[in-house]
Amino acid sequence: MTPGSPYDGSHCFGRWEPSSFPDRSPGGSAHAASVAAMDLAELTTLRLGGPARAVIDATTEEHLVEAVRVADEAGDTVLVVAGGSNLVVADEGLDGTVVRVLTRGVTVDADACSGAMVTVAAGEPWDAFVARTVDEGWVGVEALSGIPGSTGATPIQNVGAYGQEVSQTIASVRAYDRYDRRIRTFAAADCGFGYRHSRFKAEPQRHVVLTVTFQLALGDLGAPVAYGELARTLGVEVGGRAPARAVRDTVLGLRRGKGMVLDADDHDTWSAGSFFTNPLLTPEQAAALPAGAPRFEQPDGSVKTSAAWLIDHAGFAKGHGNAHVSLSTKHTLALTNRGGASTAELLDLAREIRDGVQAAYGIRLVNEPVLVGCSL
């Protein structure tokens, strides 16, 4: 069989029955809790998605690997979900089983020369880990504060924000290789990192991330600030440094102002974060944009522009949509569930925006979240 497609921390595989997995007691080497059925809306930050036949909670690495192995051998459909922050699930849901990655653990090896080598289980909530790095004086991910989801998801998308990317501090990634049916460790140089890209995203059917090891400097000052808005708010020059705690607090404030910090009472945060990636253009395409369009030259010769700018200037203002789905009232890059929405309505809005930007500028936006059982 050919294993299925990827995740947020979320993979969709072939299908298996929960009963095919060996029963493990809490005192055994692995432990799982099974739920007969659950709407995937309960497991995603968009709060959208139909039912899954069953949900399995994988609290140990052993159980996670075995669940995937059994799924592959049985040719069954399984969706592996961690934080659910980068998923758009069809209204029809999944005729299969969801495996939730709930593994936990942080192992630290630190010295004054090499900094801190910190290995984090895939199921650890990302922002809780970032908060700990600031508390411990580990430097290098403080500008990635407030991003929802799991640590194991971060290398897949090469998660980045406010001038930092996880690839800048990842030393290695351990993953279960579903093709070779073995656990492998990839050094950072072998991860194929690029803008919102990695070898794990390039081969979405192959790997399940188990742990991520970060190499972080030690100190009170954050890494050099590489993002203009963040530098201005901190009162430093681009390339300057500020206390890591101030960087974290400032990033959280900026993200809250854009509806990008989860808040159950704020429908602007009922989203999958940035719905479209920032386009990478040829120099000729970039030159054809209006004079005021953002342009950021990349090391490979391409030019990055802002998806949010394109959306706004194509006529889609904050709040564009209807009573069920709309662009965030704080940020044009987030598509939000205003309550009572369906996935079909969200995708209709996404198509309207994508097609409108293409008509205005000849640039086709690409969705960032993983689509399960649906498409644009």
Side-chain angles (χ1 to χ4, degrees):
M1 93 169 237
T2 300
S5 65
Y7 76 107
D8 65 335
S10 311
H11 288 284
C12 190
F13 311 143
R15 190 174 72 189
W16 66 288
E17 296 292 341
S19 59
S20 68
F21 187 79
D23 183 29
R24 302 296 182 102
S25 68
S29 60
H31 176 60
S34 179
V35 179
M38 179 183 289
D39 276 350
L40 287 165
E42 298 180 42
L43 304 181
T44 64
T45 55
L46 263 168
R47 293 169 166 81
L48 296 176
R53 180 169 11 95
V55 177
I56 302 290
D57 289 347
T59 58
T60 71
E61 182 178 295
E62 178 189 10
H63 179 226
L64 176 58
V65 170
E66 191 167 0
V68 173
R69 180 187 59 77
V70 170
D72 287 343
E73 290 176 353
D76 296 331
T77 298
V78 171
L79 177 69
V80 179
V81 178
S85 62
N86 201 40
L87 279 181
V88 180
V89 181
D91 294 313
E92 294 77 16
L94 179 75
D95 182 20
T97 297
V98 170
V99 177
R100 299 177 68 201
V101 183
L102 299 178
T103 55
R104 296 290 188 269
V106 178
T107 303
V108 184
D109 181 10
D111 65 59
C113 297
S114 64
M117 297 290 286
V118 186
T119 299
V120 187
E124 283 283 347
W126 172 252
D127 190 54
F129 170 62
V130 176
R132 179 172 175 182
T133 69
V134 173
D135 290 341
E136 298 279 359
W138 304 333
V139 176
V141 295
E142 55 281 344
L144 301 176
S145 294
I147 296 174
S150 70
T151 300
T154 62
I156 297 169
Q157 290 280 103
N158 186 16
V159 165
Y162 293 100
Q164 283 183 354
E165 293 181 333
V166 291
S167 59
Q168 295 167 332
T169 51
I170 286 178
S172 62
V173 177
R174 281 178 65 253
Y176 174 62
D177 185 328
R178 299 170 60 218
Y179 293 178
D180 293 342
R181 297 187 181 182
R182 64 187 178 97
I183 293 174
R184 302 176 62 186
T185 298
F186 298 95
D190 298 321
C191 289
F193 288 126
Y195 172 64
R196 300 297 174 270
H197 191 72
S198 70
R199 74 179 298 157
F200 312 109
K201 187 173 182 179
E203 295 185 281
Q205 302 171 6
R206 183 161 189 169
H207 301 105
V208 179
V209 174
L210 303 175
T211 62
V212 186
T213 298
F214 297 87
Q215 184 168 10
L216 303 169
L218 303 179
D220 295 326
L221 292 178
V225 178
Y227 194 78
E229 181 186 23
L230 178 58
R232 289 191 299 272
T233 308
L234 285 165
V236 301
E237 297 293 326
V238 171
R241 302 179 71 184
R245 188 168 301 281
V247 173
R248 172 171 168 77
D249 291 344
T250 301
V251 167
L252 288 173
L254 290 170
R255 290 183 65 88
R256 286 192 187 96
K258 298 173 183 177
M260 293 292 188
V261 176
L262 294 181
D263 180 348
D265 296 325
D266 182 358
H267 282 274
D268 279 334
T269 74
W270 290 29
S271 77
S274 298
F275 197 88
F276 297 105
T277 58
N278 290 322
L280 292 174
L281 310 176
T282 65
E284 293 75 20
Q285 288 174 312
L289 290 173
R295 295 171 176 83
F296 306 99
E297 294 184 0
Q298 303 299 299
D300 64 358
S302 65
V303 180
K304 185 191 296 182
T305 191
S306 164
W309 188 96
L310 295 173
I311 292 167
D312 187 33
H313 287 77
F316 302 107
K318 298 172 186 176
H320 175 86
N322 57 51
H324 290 169
V325 294
S326 77
L327 292 177
S328 167
T329 66
K330 302 180 181 73
H331 196 312
T332 56
L333 203 47
L335 276 65
T336 66
N337 173 4
R338 311 312 295 184
S342 67
T343 300
E345 290 174 304
L346 185 91
L347 294 176
D348 283 343
L349 177 61
R351 292 185 194 100
E352 178 191 4
I353 292 165
R354 179 199 63 189
D355 295 348
V357 168
Q358 185 163 12
Y361 299 109
I363 296 170
R364 190 173 181 85
L365 296 178
V366 176
N367 55 285
E368 184 168 334
V370 174
L371 308 182
V372 177
C374 54
S375 68
L376 284 180

Tab-separated table of all heavy atoms in Angstrom, residues 42-100:
chain	number	residue	atom	x	y	z
A	42	GLU	N	-13.475	19.366	17.352
A	42	GLU	CA	-13.023	19.456	18.739
A	42	GLU	C	-11.503	19.404	18.847
A	42	GLU	O	-10.943	19.717	19.907
A	42	GLU	CB	-13.634	18.323	19.568
A	42	GLU	CG	-15.149	18.347	19.637
A	42	GLU	CD	-15.704	17.201	20.458
A	42	GLU	OE1	-15.111	16.908	21.525
A	42	GLU	OE2	-16.701	16.600	20.045
A	43	LEU	N	-10.827	19.024	17.773
A	43	LEU	CA	-9.371	18.847	17.815
A	43	LEU	C	-8.619	19.842	16.951
A	43	LEU	O	-7.404	19.750	16.817
A	43	LEU	CB	-9.004	17.425	17.362
A	43	LEU	CG	-9.657	16.271	18.118
A	43	LEU	CD1	-9.182	14.943	17.564
A	43	LEU	CD2	-9.366	16.356	19.614
A	44	THR	N	-9.319	20.811	16.360
A	44	THR	CA	-8.667	21.782	15.481
A	44	THR	C	-8.948	23.202	15.968
A	44	THR	O	-10.022	23.487	16.510
A	44	THR	CB	-9.162	21.643	14.031
A	44	THR	OG1	-10.552	21.959	13.964
A	44	THR	CG2	-8.929	20.241	13.515
A	45	THR	N	-7.992	24.084	15.754
A	45	THR	CA	-8.167	25.469	16.197
A	45	THR	C	-9.206	26.217	15.360
A	45	THR	O	-9.755	27.222	15.817
A	45	THR	CB	-6.825	26.225	16.153
A	45	THR	OG1	-6.262	26.115	14.840
A	45	THR	CG2	-5.845	25.638	17.169
A	46	LEU	N	-9.497	25.728	14.157
A	46	LEU	CA	-10.574	26.315	13.356
A	46	LEU	C	-11.951	25.920	13.865
A	46	LEU	O	-12.960	26.513	13.484
A	46	LEU	CB	-10.443	25.878	11.892
A	46	LEU	CG	-9.745	26.831	10.939
A	46	LEU	CD1	-9.447	26.130	9.614
A	46	LEU	CD2	-10.557	28.094	10.708
A	47	ARG	N	-11.984	24.854	14.695
A	47	ARG	CA	-13.248	24.313	15.209
A	47	ARG	C	-14.167	23.880	14.068
A	47	ARG	O	-15.382	24.085	14.109
A	47	ARG	CB	-13.939	25.328	16.121
A	47	ARG	CG	-13.170	25.604	17.423
A	47	ARG	CD	-13.740	26.791	18.164
A	47	ARG	NE	-13.269	26.901	19.527
A	47	ARG	CZ	-12.114	27.425	19.893
A	47	ARG	NH1	-11.285	27.869	18.961
A	47	ARG	NH2	-11.765	27.495	21.163
A	48	LEU	N	-13.565	23.288	13.051
A	48	LEU	CA	-14.298	22.783	11.892
A	48	LEU	C	-13.876	21.343	11.625
A	48	LEU	O	-12.760	20.942	11.937
A	48	LEU	CB	-14.018	23.627	10.648
A	48	LEU	CG	-14.467	25.089	10.665
A	48	LEU	CD1	-14.018	25.786	9.390
A	48	LEU	CD2	-15.991	25.183	10.818
A	49	GLY	N	-14.767	20.575	11.025
A	49	GLY	CA	-14.447	19.208	10.638
A	49	GLY	C	-15.455	18.225	11.176
A	49	GLY	O	-15.922	18.340	12.311
A	50	GLY	N	-15.799	17.249	10.358
A	50	GLY	CA	-16.775	16.240	10.730
A	50	GLY	C	-16.187	15.141	11.586
A	50	GLY	O	-15.055	15.222	12.056
A	51	PRO	N	-16.950	14.063	11.778
A	51	PRO	CA	-16.560	13.035	12.747
A	51	PRO	C	-15.472	12.103	12.257
A	51	PRO	O	-15.323	11.845	11.055
A	51	PRO	CB	-17.869	12.266	12.953
A	51	PRO	CG	-18.604	12.422	11.659
A	51	PRO	CD	-18.272	13.812	11.183
A	52	ALA	N	-14.732	11.579	13.200
A	52	ALA	CA	-13.841	10.441	12.981
A	52	ALA	C	-14.481	9.235	13.642
A	52	ALA	O	-15.207	9.369	14.625
A	52	ALA	CB	-12.469	10.705	13.584
A	53	ARG	N	-14.208	8.055	13.090
A	53	ARG	CA	-14.821	6.849	13.648
A	53	ARG	C	-14.335	6.574	15.070
A	53	ARG	O	-15.088	6.086	15.913
A	53	ARG	CB	-14.510	5.665	12.730
A	53	ARG	CG	-15.085	4.369	13.201
A	53	ARG	CD	-15.021	3.221	12.191
A	53	ARG	NE	-14.209	3.454	11.017
A	53	ARG	CZ	-12.933	3.072	10.919
A	53	ARG	NH1	-12.331	2.502	11.941
A	53	ARG	NH2	-12.263	3.267	9.801
A	54	ALA	N	-13.088	6.875	15.343
A	54	ALA	CA	-12.533	6.652	16.681
A	54	ALA	C	-11.314	7.524	16.867
A	54	ALA	O	-10.695	7.970	15.895
A	54	ALA	CB	-12.171	5.183	16.881
A	55	VAL	N	-10.961	7.762	18.126
A	55	VAL	CA	-9.788	8.564	18.469
A	55	VAL	C	-8.925	7.776	19.436
A	55	VAL	O	-9.425	7.238	20.428
A	55	VAL	CB	-10.195	9.912	19.110
A	55	VAL	CG1	-8.962	10.696	19.538
A	55	VAL	CG2	-11.048	10.730	18.152
A	56	ILE	N	-7.643	7.691	19.122
A	56	ILE	CA	-6.666	7.012	19.980
A	56	ILE	C	-5.672	8.042	20.485
A	56	ILE	O	-5.095	8.797	19.703
A	56	ILE	CB	-5.900	5.924	19.201
A	56	ILE	CG1	-6.851	4.888	18.611
A	56	ILE	CG2	-4.859	5.263	20.094
A	56	ILE	CD1	-7.499	3.987	19.603
A	57	ASP	N	-5.447	8.081	21.796
A	57	ASP	CA	-4.467	8.984	22.387
A	57	ASP	C	-3.147	8.240	22.580
A	57	ASP	O	-3.076	7.290	23.364
A	57	ASP	CB	-4.954	9.514	23.729
A	57	ASP	CG	-6.086	10.505	23.574
A	57	ASP	OD1	-6.329	10.975	22.449
A	57	ASP	OD2	-6.728	10.821	24.604
A	58	ALA	N	-2.120	8.649	21.866
A	58	ALA	CA	-0.794	8.041	21.973
A	58	ALA	C	0.051	8.874	22.920
A	58	ALA	O	0.499	9.961	22.575
A	58	ALA	CB	-0.133	7.942	20.607
A	59	THR	N	0.274	8.359	24.122
A	59	THR	CA	0.992	9.119	25.142
A	59	THR	C	2.452	8.723	25.245
A	59	THR	O	3.198	9.339	26.003
A	59	THR	CB	0.319	8.945	26.513
A	59	THR	OG1	0.287	7.545	26.840
A	59	THR	CG2	-1.106	9.491	26.491
A	60	THR	N	2.855	7.700	24.512
A	60	THR	CA	4.264	7.310	24.497
A	60	THR	C	4.745	7.194	23.066
A	60	THR	O	3.970	6.923	22.139
A	60	THR	CB	4.494	5.953	25.199
A	60	THR	OG1	3.955	4.905	24.386
A	60	THR	CG2	3.862	5.926	26.580
A	61	GLU	N	6.036	7.359	22.890
A	61	GLU	CA	6.629	7.220	21.561
A	61	GLU	C	6.428	5.810	21.025
A	61	GLU	O	6.143	5.604	19.831
A	61	GLU	CB	8.112	7.558	21.631
A	61	GLU	CG	8.835	7.497	20.317
A	61	GLU	CD	10.283	7.900	20.449
A	61	GLU	OE1	10.550	9.080	20.770
A	61	GLU	OE2	11.153	7.027	20.231
A	62	GLU	N	6.556	4.809	21.897
A	62	GLU	CA	6.386	3.431	21.476
A	62	GLU	C	4.995	3.201	20.883
A	62	GLU	O	4.845	2.577	19.834
A	62	GLU	CB	6.608	2.493	22.662
A	62	GLU	CG	6.400	1.023	22.335
A	62	GLU	CD	6.409	0.140	23.559
A	62	GLU	OE1	6.395	0.678	24.684
A	62	GLU	OE2	6.429	-1.084	23.384
A	63	HIS	N	3.997	3.719	21.565
A	63	HIS	CA	2.634	3.520	21.087
A	63	HIS	C	2.393	4.261	19.777
A	63	HIS	O	1.737	3.755	18.862
A	63	HIS	CB	1.633	3.983	22.142
A	63	HIS	CG	0.209	3.844	21.712
A	63	HIS	ND1	-0.717	4.838	21.887
A	63	HIS	CD2	-0.431	2.834	21.076
A	63	HIS	CE1	-1.875	4.440	21.382
A	63	HIS	NE2	-1.731	3.234	20.892
A	64	LEU	N	2.950	5.460	19.652
A	64	LEU	CA	2.795	6.238	18.428
A	64	LEU	C	3.382	5.480	17.236
A	64	LEU	O	2.741	5.339	16.190
A	64	LEU	CB	3.472	7.597	18.588
A	64	LEU	CG	3.491	8.518	17.371
A	64	LEU	CD1	2.085	8.811	16.872
A	64	LEU	CD2	4.234	9.819	17.716
A	65	VAL	N	4.603	4.983	17.392
A	65	VAL	CA	5.244	4.255	16.306
A	65	VAL	C	4.463	2.991	15.970
A	65	VAL	O	4.228	2.670	14.798
A	65	VAL	CB	6.698	3.916	16.676
A	65	VAL	CG1	7.310	2.941	15.671
A	65	VAL	CG2	7.537	5.192	16.750
A	66	GLU	N	4.044	2.261	16.986
A	66	GLU	CA	3.341	1.010	16.734
A	66	GLU	C	1.996	1.258	16.059
A	66	GLU	O	1.582	0.511	15.171
A	66	GLU	CB	3.149	0.242	18.036
A	66	GLU	CG	2.674	-1.182	17.808
A	66	GLU	CD	2.771	-2.041	19.051
A	66	GLU	OE1	3.220	-1.525	20.098
A	66	GLU	OE2	2.400	-3.213	18.968
A	67	ALA	N	1.311	2.320	16.458
A	67	ALA	CA	0.026	2.638	15.839
A	67	ALA	C	0.194	2.895	14.348
A	67	ALA	O	-0.594	2.417	13.521
A	67	ALA	CB	-0.595	3.857	16.518
A	68	VAL	N	1.219	3.647	13.993
A	68	VAL	CA	1.470	3.939	12.581
A	68	VAL	C	1.872	2.675	11.827
A	68	VAL	O	1.408	2.416	10.704
A	68	VAL	CB	2.545	5.031	12.443
A	68	VAL	CG1	2.934	5.230	10.991
A	68	VAL	CG2	2.059	6.333	13.053
A	69	ARG	N	2.728	1.873	12.446
A	69	ARG	CA	3.156	0.631	11.796
A	69	ARG	C	1.969	-0.290	11.530
A	69	ARG	O	1.811	-0.842	10.424
A	69	ARG	CB	4.188	-0.090	12.675
A	69	ARG	CG	4.688	-1.399	12.084
A	69	ARG	CD	5.568	-2.155	13.070
A	69	ARG	NE	4.857	-2.454	14.313
A	69	ARG	CZ	3.971	-3.429	14.432
A	69	ARG	NH1	3.658	-4.191	13.391
A	69	ARG	NH2	3.373	-3.655	15.591
A	70	VAL	N	1.107	-0.452	12.525
A	70	VAL	CA	-0.064	-1.308	12.357
A	70	VAL	C	-0.972	-0.755	11.269
A	70	VAL	O	-1.522	-1.505	10.443
A	70	VAL	CB	-0.816	-1.444	13.696
A	70	VAL	CG1	-2.159	-2.129	13.491
A	70	VAL	CG2	0.029	-2.210	14.700
A	71	ALA	N	-1.122	0.569	11.233
A	71	ALA	CA	-1.959	1.186	10.208
A	71	ALA	C	-1.429	0.874	8.821
A	71	ALA	O	-2.180	0.499	7.917
A	71	ALA	CB	-2.002	2.699	10.428
A	72	ASP	N	-0.135	1.003	8.634
A	72	ASP	CA	0.460	0.754	7.334
A	72	ASP	C	0.304	-0.706	6.915
A	72	ASP	O	0.009	-1.007	5.761
A	72	ASP	CB	1.937	1.146	7.338
A	72	ASP	CG	2.157	2.651	7.346
A	72	ASP	OD1	1.200	3.388	7.031
A	72	ASP	OD2	3.276	3.084	7.672
A	73	GLU	N	0.507	-1.600	7.863
A	73	GLU	CA	0.404	-3.015	7.542
A	73	GLU	C	-1.029	-3.416	7.202
A	73	GLU	O	-1.256	-4.317	6.386
A	73	GLU	CB	0.933	-3.852	8.707
A	73	GLU	CG	2.447	-3.742	8.890
A	73	GLU	CD	2.940	-4.492	10.101
A	73	GLU	OE1	2.094	-4.992	10.893
A	73	GLU	OE2	4.177	-4.573	10.282
A	74	ALA	N	-2.002	-2.733	7.827
A	74	ALA	CA	-3.405	-3.076	7.608
A	74	ALA	C	-4.012	-2.346	6.418
A	74	ALA	O	-5.102	-2.687	5.971
A	74	ALA	CB	-4.219	-2.760	8.872
A	75	GLY	N	-3.330	-1.338	5.888
A	75	GLY	CA	-3.869	-0.567	4.783
A	75	GLY	C	-5.057	0.276	5.192
A	75	GLY	O	-5.955	0.532	4.380
A	76	ASP	N	-5.073	0.732	6.431
A	76	ASP	CA	-6.205	1.477	6.970
A	76	ASP	C	-5.947	2.985	6.964
A	76	ASP	O	-4.809	3.432	6.827
A	76	ASP	CB	-6.484	1.027	8.413
A	76	ASP	CG	-6.911	-0.427	8.473
A	76	ASP	OD1	-7.506	-0.911	7.498
A	76	ASP	OD2	-6.629	-1.077	9.494
A	77	THR	N	-6.990	3.768	7.128
A	77	THR	CA	-6.882	5.229	7.132
A	77	THR	C	-6.743	5.743	8.548
A	77	THR	O	-7.579	5.459	9.404
A	77	THR	CB	-8.118	5.868	6.485
A	77	THR	OG1	-8.198	5.455	5.137
A	77	THR	CG2	-8.052	7.391	6.553
A	78	VAL	N	-5.670	6.484	8.778
A	78	VAL	CA	-5.411	7.058	10.100
A	78	VAL	C	-4.966	8.496	9.924
A	78	VAL	O	-4.150	8.809	9.063
A	78	VAL	CB	-4.315	6.270	10.857
A	78	VAL	CG1	-3.903	7.003	12.130
A	78	VAL	CG2	-4.815	4.886	11.199
A	79	LEU	N	-5.515	9.378	10.725
A	79	LEU	CA	-5.074	10.771	10.766
A	79	LEU	C	-4.345	10.990	12.078
A	79	LEU	O	-4.913	10.782	13.155
A	79	LEU	CB	-6.269	11.716	10.674
A	79	LEU	CG	-5.958	13.215	10.767
A	79	LEU	CD1	-5.208	13.666	9.527
A	79	LEU	CD2	-7.233	14.019	10.942
A	80	VAL	N	-3.076	11.365	11.992
A	80	VAL	CA	-2.285	11.649	13.187
A	80	VAL	C	-2.331	13.147	13.434
A	80	VAL	O	-1.944	13.946	12.588
A	80	VAL	CB	-0.833	11.175	13.014
A	80	VAL	CG1	-0.007	11.506	14.255
A	80	VAL	CG2	-0.799	9.675	12.760
A	81	VAL	N	-2.817	13.534	14.606
A	81	VAL	CA	-3.047	14.937	14.939
A	81	VAL	C	-2.274	15.292	16.193
A	81	VAL	O	-2.275	14.534	17.173
A	81	VAL	CB	-4.547	15.217	15.168
A	81	VAL	CG1	-4.773	16.667	15.572
A	81	VAL	CG2	-5.353	14.885	13.921
A	82	ALA	N	-1.636	16.439	16.172
A	82	ALA	CA	-0.993	16.956	17.382
A	82	ALA	C	-1.800	18.155	17.869
A	82	ALA	O	-2.853	18.001	18.474
A	82	ALA	CB	0.456	17.302	17.104
A	83	GLY	N	-1.367	19.387	17.550
A	83	GLY	CA	-2.087	20.561	18.034
A	83	GLY	C	-3.325	20.910	17.231
A	83	GLY	O	-4.178	21.666	17.700
A	84	GLY	N	-3.422	20.405	15.998
A	84	GLY	CA	-4.586	20.715	15.177
A	84	GLY	C	-4.652	22.153	14.717
A	84	GLY	O	-5.713	22.621	14.275
A	85	SER	N	-3.535	22.869	14.791
A	85	SER	CA	-3.548	24.304	14.474
A	85	SER	C	-3.302	24.593	13.005
A	85	SER	O	-3.384	25.755	12.590
A	85	SER	CB	-2.490	25.030	15.318
A	85	SER	OG	-1.192	24.539	15.012
A	86	ASN	N	-3.005	23.558	12.220
A	86	ASN	CA	-2.693	23.769	10.811
A	86	ASN	C	-3.513	22.827	9.933
A	86	ASN	O	-3.067	22.380	8.889
A	86	ASN	CB	-1.202	23.540	10.563
A	86	ASN	CG	-0.718	24.207	9.295
A	86	ASN	OD1	-1.113	25.321	8.972
A	86	ASN	ND2	0.149	23.526	8.558
A	87	LEU	N	-4.749	22.546	10.386
A	87	LEU	CA	-5.603	21.580	9.710
A	87	LEU	C	-6.922	22.209	9.280
A	87	LEU	O	-7.548	22.948	10.039
A	87	LEU	CB	-5.938	20.417	10.642
A	87	LEU	CG	-4.928	19.292	10.820
A	87	LEU	CD1	-5.497	18.249	11.772
A	87	LEU	CD2	-4.585	18.649	9.493
A	88	VAL	N	-7.344	21.873	8.057
A	88	VAL	CA	-8.697	22.159	7.592
A	88	VAL	C	-9.302	20.817	7.218
A	88	VAL	O	-8.843	20.162	6.276
A	88	VAL	CB	-8.706	23.108	6.374
A	88	VAL	CG1	-10.139	23.383	5.935
A	88	VAL	CG2	-7.990	24.421	6.708
A	89	VAL	N	-10.313	20.381	7.974
A	89	VAL	CA	-10.892	19.055	7.806
A	89	VAL	C	-12.275	19.170	7.168
A	89	VAL	O	-13.076	20.026	7.549
A	89	VAL	CB	-10.997	18.326	9.160
A	89	VAL	CG1	-11.572	16.926	8.964
A	89	VAL	CG2	-9.630	18.252	9.829
A	90	ALA	N	-12.557	18.287	6.228
A	90	ALA	CA	-13.834	18.302	5.516
A	90	ALA	C	-15.011	18.142	6.473
A	90	ALA	O	-14.894	17.504	7.531
A	90	ALA	CB	-13.855	17.189	4.474
A	91	ASP	N	-16.147	18.687	6.075
A	91	ASP	CA	-17.367	18.541	6.874
A	91	ASP	C	-17.760	17.078	7.022
A	91	ASP	O	-18.401	16.702	8.015
A	91	ASP	CB	-18.518	19.318	6.225
A	91	ASP	CG	-18.280	20.823	6.229
A	91	ASP	OD1	-17.885	21.355	7.286
A	91	ASP	OD2	-18.477	21.456	5.178
A	92	GLU	N	-17.376	16.261	6.049
A	92	GLU	CA	-17.712	14.840	6.109
A	92	GLU	C	-16.853	14.090	7.127
A	92	GLU	O	-17.156	12.947	7.473
A	92	GLU	CB	-17.530	14.205	4.726
A	92	GLU	CG	-18.496	14.730	3.669
A	92	GLU	CD	-18.097	16.100	3.141
A	92	GLU	OE1	-16.939	16.522	3.354
A	92	GLU	OE2	-18.972	16.749	2.514
A	93	GLY	N	-15.790	14.719	7.571
A	93	GLY	CA	-14.927	14.092	8.547
A	93	GLY	C	-14.037	13.019	7.941
A	93	GLY	O	-13.636	13.101	6.780
A	94	LEU	N	-13.742	11.987	8.720
A	94	LEU	CA	-12.790	10.950	8.338
A	94	LEU	C	-13.365	9.586	8.670
A	94	LEU	O	-13.683	9.319	9.835
A	94	LEU	CB	-11.467	11.148	9.082
A	94	LEU	CG	-10.368	10.128	8.809
A	94	LEU	CD1	-9.740	10.377	7.449
A	94	LEU	CD2	-9.313	10.172	9.905
A	95	ASP	N	-13.526	8.745	7.672
A	95	ASP	CA	-13.957	7.370	7.905
A	95	ASP	C	-12.741	6.562	8.316
A	95	ASP	O	-12.195	5.765	7.549
A	95	ASP	CB	-14.614	6.789	6.656
A	95	ASP	CG	-15.113	5.365	6.898
A	95	ASP	OD1	-15.292	4.993	8.080
A	95	ASP	OD2	-15.295	4.633	5.912
A	96	GLY	N	-12.289	6.801	9.522
A	96	GLY	CA	-11.075	6.163	10.003
A	96	GLY	C	-10.819	6.551	11.442
A	96	GLY	O	-11.727	6.962	12.167
A	97	THR	N	-9.587	6.424	11.838
A	97	THR	CA	-9.180	6.627	13.222
A	97	THR	C	-8.194	7.778	13.326
A	97	THR	O	-7.290	7.899	12.504
A	97	THR	CB	-8.542	5.345	13.780
A	97	THR	OG1	-9.518	4.301	13.776
A	97	THR	CG2	-8.047	5.558	15.211
A	98	VAL	N	-8.383	8.588	14.322
A	98	VAL	CA	-7.448	9.666	14.633
A	98	VAL	C	-6.500	9.193	15.729
A	98	VAL	O	-6.946	8.653	16.754
A	98	VAL	CB	-8.194	10.931	15.099
A	98	VAL	CG1	-7.218	11.961	15.663
A	98	VAL	CG2	-8.990	11.538	13.950
A	99	VAL	N	-5.211	9.373	15.520
A	99	VAL	CA	-4.207	9.132	16.560
A	99	VAL	C	-3.681	10.480	17.010
A	99	VAL	O	-3.121	11.231	16.210
A	99	VAL	CB	-3.056	8.252	16.052
A	99	VAL	CG1	-1.993	8.090	17.136
A	99	VAL	CG2	-3.571	6.892	15.616
A	100	ARG	N	-3.886	10.786	18.262
A	100	ARG	CA	-3.433	12.072	18.815
A	100	ARG	C	-2.044	11.902	19.415
A	100	ARG	O	-1.801	11.016	20.234
A	100	ARG	CB	-4.404	12.576	19.878
A	100	ARG	CG	-5.803	12.831	19.366
A	100	ARG	CD	-6.727	13.257	20.495
A	100	ARG	NE	-6.355	14.569	21.008
A	100	ARG	CZ	-6.711	15.009	22.211
A	100	ARG	NH1	-7.396	14.243	23.041
A	100	ARG	NH2	-6.358	16.215	22.597
